[in-house]
Every structure is written in structure tokens, then in C-alpha cells.
Amino acid sequence: MSKAIIRLAVPDMILSPAPQGSAATATFRVEALHKSFGADPVLKGINLSVQRSEMVFVLGPSGSGKSTMLRCCNRLEEPDAGEIFIQGDRLTGPGVDLNKMRQRIGIVFQSFNLYPHLSALGNVTLALRKVQKMPREKARVAGLEALDRVGLSDRARHYPSQLSGGQQQRVAIARALALNPTVMLFDEPTSALDPELVGDVLDVMRDMKRQGMTMVVVSHEMKFARDAADRVIFMDDGLIVEEGPPEQIFGDPQHNRTRAFLSRFHE
Amino acid sequence: MERFIDTFFNAAVLARYAPAILEGALVTVLLSLLIVMAGTVLGSGLACLRAYRIKPVSILIVVFADMLRALPPLVLILLAFFGLPNVGIVLSSFMVLFVVLTLVLAAFAEEIVWAGITATPKGQWEAARSTGLSFTRALIFVVLPQAVRMVIPPLTNRAIAITKMTALGMVIGVPDILGQATTAQSFSANASPLTLAAIAYVILFLPFVIASRWLEARFAPPAA
Ligand SMILES: Nc1ncnc2c1ncn2[C@@H]1O[C@H](COP(=O)(O)OP(=O)(O)O)[C@@H](O)[C@H]1O
Ligand SMILES: [Mg+2]
């Protein structure tokens, strides 16, 4: 009930969101996130607020905890401490309907993880059918619409093995989009792709941004970050070292570690 | 040579006992179908149960699977047929054979399907769970279909091996192919009914053996 009211009260599309809006208005918020694997602390207190329609880019060396942070965001990995809020609803703590909450957070993996035994459309509609209990025909229409958004409605009947890597990743994006998530998380979505296929996936992401999707993107596509990101975050050793608009992070990084990292990516 | 033909291909004996063998074939087919269906369903069910990784449940399943795979099926058949009546459970020979072989197949199927479940990439679970599927739904709609596909060849081979064991029913008087044939052989004092039995088994099982070859090619992991 109250959720619907909040949705109506927010302007439908904010094309240029405030880069560093306050935590209170955040669409997605992570507070003091901690995670260890055994005695190994991987996240040491991550705070992150993402505004509606904002695209936040996360950079950082391998092993700095970027994937773990994203996976904690929908509790694929259980955080040791910290809180996660989505549109003010708490995702952490006991008594949360995790399966319902997860439908509001789309995640796209480096390795696509499409279901090989289902067609592209089957991949996209599975959760619609089995979780949202949508009737077959309605799910088909919604699934085709999601595939259309990634430019693949003509591949609906194809199986993952019949699709290129770039197409598979776009189907994976459609699978998340079909659930109408509030925020989308991307974990190196183009790292497993042949260079010539990267562009298609980035175009889809650019399109999503244009349509007002809220996104957190872990990626090494620096040029894309420069063009498309509203804010760039540099992570190292389980902490956010530095954040700011892309011009600042790329043009005038304040921390040595950020500088050292970026110097390895001179295009 | 004449003696050989008279022993194995005595026309009169063949003609006389063909109907009995045919009846036996129906029993074998019925038993085999029931065992394959019940055994694979039960085995897959146990493998799924094991996926929840509830310690005591998993231990029970492993003990069951290991016991039934270790014991010769004939021992189980004799134990069940001659032992159970002493504790008040009287089953027909058909029932004993069905139950024992179903459990044996279930034990093997559980191990085979479990191997398929554990071989399914972790990313499949994660993709499913991240779209809101519960553990059970992820298992049923995402992991199990892939696991079963992966293990269809070994599962088919095992199912053939165990349905052939219906021939063991002879020792407790199940009127299957071999049961009918041995009865006929003792009445006629001639081996021709056994020839008929062999022919019947080949006719029944050869298509499945060939089908398993085809399945193996069809579901083989894609060449690198
Ligand atoms: N499931 C896990 N078990 C144990 N250690 C893990 C696990 N996942 C990640 N790690 C460790 O956590 C650290 C951060 O990993 P990750 O979040 O994948 O970093 P990034 O994505 O930035 O490369 C690494 O040292 C990695 O080895
Ligand atoms: Mg990573």
C-alpha cells in the first residue's frame, strides 16, 4: 500500500540524478557491510547509497571484494554485519521474505549463468511463472518484451548454446529485467566476452540507464565508466577508498592506491 | 549336430512352450517397467532430499544406498521372500522381486543423480536464487533437469542391468521369462525352452541397449 504511494510520488524519470544524494533518499543503501571468509576479512565496512536512476561504477583490483559486495547486496552471500535497504525496506535481519526481496534486485554475472536446458524465453520467464505465478501467456508476453529491450526478441526460441556470448549475456540481463527490479547489479558483465561482443552489452546497459534504471556496475570498462557513470567508486582491500564523479576519479584521483590502479589502465 | 539341434531347437518343444514363454515375457515387461519407474523416481527423490544437506537425513540416505549397492540382489530376494513371512509380512514372489529390485535401482539412481546435482555449476543455483526462486524451486526447475540430463547414460545402463535381474525371480517362483522357461525345461527334459527364453530376452532388451547407445551420444557432454 505505502509502497505504491512512494512510487507515485517519485518523478517517473530522473535523467541526471544528484551524484551524491543523501542516504535518506537513496533507492538502494548499504550500511557498514562486513564479511569475512574464515579469518579472512573481505569487506571491512562498506557504505554505499545509490540514488534513483543513478549508475554507480565500482572499480578495484582483483580480490578487493567487489564481487563479494555485490553478492552480499542480495544475500547470495550472507553478510556478517551491516544493513541493506531497498526503497527504505530492510533486506537484512530475520523475518525478511528473501525470495520476494530478491526480485527487486537484479544481478548479472560475469559467466551469464543462463539455464542451458531452457530457451532464451524459458530463461526469462522461469521466475515469472514459478515465483510470480504469472499465467503462461502473460509471462510469454512479458518475457518477449524483456528480450526486446535487449534486442533479442527474434532469439526467443534459441537455446543458450545456440547464442553468442554477447547474446547470452543480454538474455541474462533480460532475465533480470523481466522481474522489473528496482536496482540492477552487474558483476563484470563483459569480462568473459570476446572484445567484439562487448559493445552490444554496453549498449544495452546504456539504454537501461537512459530509461532510468538504477545500477551498480563492477567492470573494468574504463571508457564506458567515463561516458556513462554518474559516480565512480574505487575499492581496495574491502574498503571504499575514494568516490566521486568520473571526471574527478579519472582526472584527478586523490589517493595513491587509486592512482596506482588507474595507471595500469591507460588506454 | 543332430543332438545339438534336438537339445536346443527341438521344434515340438519350442512350439509347445512358446505360449508359456510369451506369458513370461509379459510378466518380465511389466516388472521391468514398474521397477524402472519406481526405482528412478525413488532414487531421484532421495538425491533431491540429500541436496538439503540435513545431516541425519543425508546419513540415512548414504547408508541405504551403500547397503543396497553392496549386497548381492539375490541375497536380498531370498531374505525378503523367506524371512519376511516370519515377521508376519507375506508378499507374493512378484511383489518381493518388485520391491527388492526397485530399492536396488533406487540406491544406484540416488548416487548417479546426486553426482549430477553436485556437478551442476554453482552459478545455476545463484542465478535461480537471485531471481527469487526458493531452494526447492531452484532444485526442481533449474538443477534437477540439468542433473538428470547429465546422468541419463549411466542411469540407462544401470536400469538395464537391474531389470535383467528380474531373471533372479526364478528362484522364488516368479513366472517371468526364465521362470516359465526353467519350468518348461524340467517338464520336457529339454533345453529348447531356455533357447526361447534367450531369444525373448534379446528381443526385449536389445532395443533398450541400442537406445542407451543413442542416448549416450545424444546427452554426451559437448566435445571441447
Ligand atoms: N566463497 C569464498 N570463500 C572463500 N574466500 C572467498 C570466497 N569468495 C571470495 N573469496 C575471497 O574474498 C576475496 C575477495 O574476492 P572477490 O569479492 O571475488 O573480489 P573481486 O571481485 O574484487 O575480485 C578474495 O581474496 C577471494 O579469494
Ligand atoms: Mg569479482
Side-chain angles (χ1 to χ4, degrees), chain B residues 18-53:
Chain B
I21 303 286
L22 200 62
E23 266 169 46
L26 285 176
V27 173
T28 296
V29 167
L30 182 64
L31 254 175
S32 300
L33 287 178
L34 289 174
I35 290 165
V36 168
M37 283 191 292
T40 49
V41 167
L42 181 60
S44 306
L46 289 173
C48 285
L49 215 51
R50 204 170 156 190
Y52 288 85
R53 296 182 196 271

Side-chain angles (χ1 to χ4, degrees), chain B residues 27-107:
Chain B
V27 173
T28 296
V29 167
L30 182 64
L31 254 175
S32 300
L33 287 178
L34 289 174
I35 290 165
V36 168
M37 283 191 292
T40 49
V41 167
L42 181 60
S44 306
L46 289 173
C48 285
L49 215 51
R50 204 170 156 190
Y52 288 85
R53 296 182 196 271
I54 304 164
K55 253 281 168 48
V57 176
S58 298
I59 290 173
L60 282 178
I61 292 171
V62 170
V63 169
F64 162 81
D66 286 358
M67 294 292 286
L68 273 105
R69 291 187 307 153
L71 282 164
L74 184 55
V75 173
L76 286 168
I77 290 166
L78 293 174
L79 263 176
F81 190 71
F82 295 110
L84 286 182
N86 295 325
V87 292
I89 304 171
V90 182
L91 299 175
S92 69
S93 56
F94 184 95
M95 244 347 238
V96 165
L97 192 59
F98 165 71
V99 170
V100 168
L101 292 185
T102 294
L103 292 180
V104 172
L105 179 56

Side-chain angles (χ1 to χ4, degrees), chain A residues 37 42 61-68:
Chain A
F37 290 111
V42 173
S62 167
S64 58
K66 306 180 298 295
S67 297
T68 305

Side-chain angles (χ1 to χ4, degrees), chain A residues 7 73-75 86-87 91 96-107 115 124-134 175-184 213, chain B residues 127-134 137:
Chain A
R7 281 213 186 114
C73 283
N74 66 356
R75 289 177 61 188
I86 182 152
Q87 290 175 316
L91 189 71
V96 171
D97 185 345
L98 204 49
N99 295 327
K100 206 166 167 190
M101 282 293 197
R102 279 180 174 151
Q103 302 219 320
R104 295 162 70 180
I105 306 173
I107 185 162
Y115 313 133
V124 175
T125 54
L126 184 70
L128 295 176
R129 300 269 322 275
K130 303 302 178 192
V131 184
Q132 299 191 350
K133 305 286 180 195
M134 230 184 237
R175 176 171 65 184
L177 273 181
L179 297 168
N180 248 324
T182 305
V183 59
M184 288 272 295
M213 178 58 76
Chain B
R129 297 306 306 273
S130 74
T131 53
L133 269 72
S134 63
R137 291 202 172 104

Side-chain angles (χ1 to χ4, degrees), chain B residues 131-184:
Chain B
T131 53
L133 269 72
S134 63
F135 182 90
T136 303
R137 291 202 172 104
L139 179 61
I140 292 174
F141 298 116
V142 174
V143 175
L144 192 60
Q146 294 181 55
V148 168
R149 247 157 246 244
M150 227 183 298
V151 301
I152 274 180
L155 205 52
T156 311
N157 286 332
R158 187 53 70 176
I160 292 171
I162 285 171
T163 46
K164 273 193 308 194
M165 290 179 188
T166 50
L168 293 174
M170 183 204 92
V171 298
I172 54 171
V174 176
D176 69 327
I177 293 175
L178 193 61
Q180 296 282 17
T182 46
T183 308

